[in-house]
Amino acid sequence: MIDPQQIKANSERIILDAGGCICDWLPCLDHRTPRGREAVIGRALVLNAMLQIAFQAPIPAIRDWLNTNDVINHLSAKERLILDRSNAELTQQEVTDLYWYIESLWALLWVGGLIDELAFNEPVQDYMASLCPKLQRNEDSSKFADNMLIRPYAELFAMLDLYYRLHWWVHDSNLKGDNTGNVRIDIVMERRKALAWVMDDTCDWDNVNLCT
């Protein structure tokens, strides 16, 4: 069993030690049913593939890779709409949104044990690409899937709790115009989204609740 109150206290200590602020009345997270390994792998593969569109990969090539590797069913509704269009038809906001998949993917690599740390004050590391299938070489998903070993529930719950409270800090600081240094709201938010999705098998990727 895990103690949500103790996890809350640990998260708050980490944030305070980093020079951040906490909100004492921000409640403990509810326990939810987490995703299974197959769903997490599928979502990570989708994120990696769709991210390539932000780097100007041709949409037909991405769609073909997703079909060939049997992960097309892991697409969200919005992602399906993107794959039905051409690169030239995408808005700048859509491309930007796909670019931010890099942070959600980084979080899922931590969930799957492919990276050791998910430091909230550090960006995605340069070696991330070496951990994922290389679509430009038409590398399949088998090696990646074999290496994904989902962390224990307690670890996942604690990390989500930390990013939940971090999100409150950076959001509140942004509203006040305060500087949060290397802890950026866009990075925290995208990683929290991925963690929240993993920890609740009822939520939809396009509509993950990120309220603080």
mmCIF file of all heavy atoms in Angstrom, residues 65 133-140:
data_model
loop_
_atom_site.group_PDB
_atom_site.id
_atom_site.type_symbol
_atom_site.label_atom_id
_atom_site.label_comp_id
_atom_site.label_asym_id
_atom_site.label_seq_id
_atom_site.Cartn_x
_atom_site.Cartn_y
_atom_site.Cartn_z
ATOM 1 N N TRP A 65 3.962 3.578 -41.544
ATOM 2 C CA TRP A 65 4.728 2.950 -40.460
ATOM 3 C C TRP A 65 3.806 2.510 -39.332
ATOM 4 O O TRP A 65 3.942 1.414 -38.795
ATOM 5 C CB TRP A 65 5.791 3.911 -39.933
ATOM 6 C CG TRP A 65 6.728 3.260 -38.961
ATOM 7 C CD1 TRP A 65 7.924 2.656 -39.241
ATOM 8 C CD2 TRP A 65 6.536 3.122 -37.545
ATOM 9 N NE1 TRP A 65 8.486 2.142 -38.093
ATOM 10 C CE2 TRP A 65 7.666 2.417 -37.039
ATOM 11 C CE3 TRP A 65 5.548 3.519 -36.657
ATOM 12 C CZ2 TRP A 65 7.805 2.114 -35.682
ATOM 13 C CZ3 TRP A 65 5.683 3.211 -35.309
ATOM 14 C CH2 TRP A 65 6.801 2.513 -34.832
ATOM 15 N N PRO A 133 12.376 3.776 -32.121
ATOM 16 C CA PRO A 133 12.501 3.304 -33.504
ATOM 17 C C PRO A 133 12.835 4.450 -34.454
ATOM 18 O O PRO A 133 12.280 5.546 -34.331
ATOM 19 C CB PRO A 133 11.115 2.722 -33.810
ATOM 20 C CG PRO A 133 10.524 2.403 -32.480
ATOM 21 C CD PRO A 133 11.063 3.435 -31.534
ATOM 22 N N LYS A 134 13.726 4.189 -35.383
ATOM 23 C CA LYS A 134 14.138 5.203 -36.351
ATOM 24 C C LYS A 134 13.297 5.038 -37.609
ATOM 25 O O LYS A 134 13.561 4.188 -38.445
ATOM 26 C CB LYS A 134 15.630 5.069 -36.637
ATOM 27 C CG LYS A 134 16.483 5.322 -35.394
ATOM 28 C CD LYS A 134 17.928 4.965 -35.612
ATOM 29 C CE LYS A 134 18.735 5.239 -34.336
ATOM 30 N NZ LYS A 134 18.215 4.469 -33.162
ATOM 31 N N LEU A 135 12.283 5.877 -37.714
ATOM 32 C CA LEU A 135 11.326 5.732 -38.803
ATOM 33 C C LEU A 135 11.944 6.008 -40.157
ATOM 34 O O LEU A 135 11.533 5.419 -41.161
ATOM 35 C CB LEU A 135 10.114 6.646 -38.572
ATOM 36 C CG LEU A 135 8.998 6.066 -37.686
ATOM 37 C CD1 LEU A 135 9.480 5.847 -36.254
ATOM 38 C CD2 LEU A 135 7.774 6.946 -37.703
ATOM 39 N N GLN A 136 12.945 6.894 -40.204
ATOM 40 C CA GLN A 136 13.568 7.203 -41.489
ATOM 41 C C GLN A 136 14.304 5.996 -42.056
ATOM 42 O O GLN A 136 14.555 5.910 -43.263
ATOM 43 C CB GLN A 136 14.505 8.406 -41.369
ATOM 44 C CG GLN A 136 15.732 8.191 -40.496
ATOM 45 C CD GLN A 136 15.489 8.503 -39.029
ATOM 46 O OE1 GLN A 136 14.385 8.301 -38.535
ATOM 47 N NE2 GLN A 136 16.522 9.008 -38.364
ATOM 48 N N ARG A 137 14.652 5.034 -41.174
ATOM 49 C CA ARG A 137 15.277 3.778 -41.605
ATOM 50 C C ARG A 137 14.260 2.639 -41.649
ATOM 51 O O ARG A 137 14.637 1.484 -41.853
ATOM 52 C CB ARG A 137 16.408 3.404 -40.653
ATOM 53 C CG ARG A 137 17.518 4.445 -40.538
ATOM 54 C CD ARG A 137 18.576 3.976 -39.561
ATOM 55 N NE ARG A 137 19.542 5.023 -39.260
ATOM 56 C CZ ARG A 137 20.484 4.922 -38.326
ATOM 57 N NH1 ARG A 137 20.584 3.796 -37.610
ATOM 58 N NH2 ARG A 137 21.320 5.913 -38.100
ATOM 59 N N ASN A 138 13.004 2.976 -41.405
ATOM 60 C CA ASN A 138 11.919 1.994 -41.366
ATOM 61 C C ASN A 138 12.184 0.897 -40.324
ATOM 62 O O ASN A 138 11.847 -0.268 -40.520
ATOM 63 C CB ASN A 138 11.687 1.364 -42.739
ATOM 64 C CG ASN A 138 10.279 0.782 -42.853
ATOM 65 O OD1 ASN A 138 9.351 1.255 -42.213
ATOM 66 N ND2 ASN A 138 10.142 -0.254 -43.666
ATOM 67 N N GLU A 139 12.786 1.281 -39.215
ATOM 68 C CA GLU A 139 13.050 0.338 -38.137
ATOM 69 C C GLU A 139 11.735 -0.034 -37.461
ATOM 70 O O GLU A 139 10.920 0.843 -37.157
ATOM 71 C CB GLU A 139 14.000 0.971 -37.117
ATOM 72 C CG GLU A 139 14.396 0.047 -35.990
ATOM 73 C CD GLU A 139 15.377 0.697 -35.025
ATOM 74 O OE1 GLU A 139 15.908 1.784 -35.349
ATOM 75 O OE2 GLU A 139 15.609 0.119 -33.954
ATOM 76 N N ASP A 140 11.514 -1.315 -37.212
ATOM 77 C CA ASP A 140 10.244 -1.723 -36.617
ATOM 78 C C ASP A 140 10.234 -1.479 -35.107
ATOM 79 O O ASP A 140 11.208 -1.021 -34.522
ATOM 80 C CB ASP A 140 9.900 -3.171 -36.960
ATOM 81 C CG ASP A 140 10.819 -4.194 -36.309
ATOM 82 O OD1 ASP A 140 11.365 -3.924 -35.224
ATOM 83 O OD2 ASP A 140 10.995 -5.280 -36.890
#
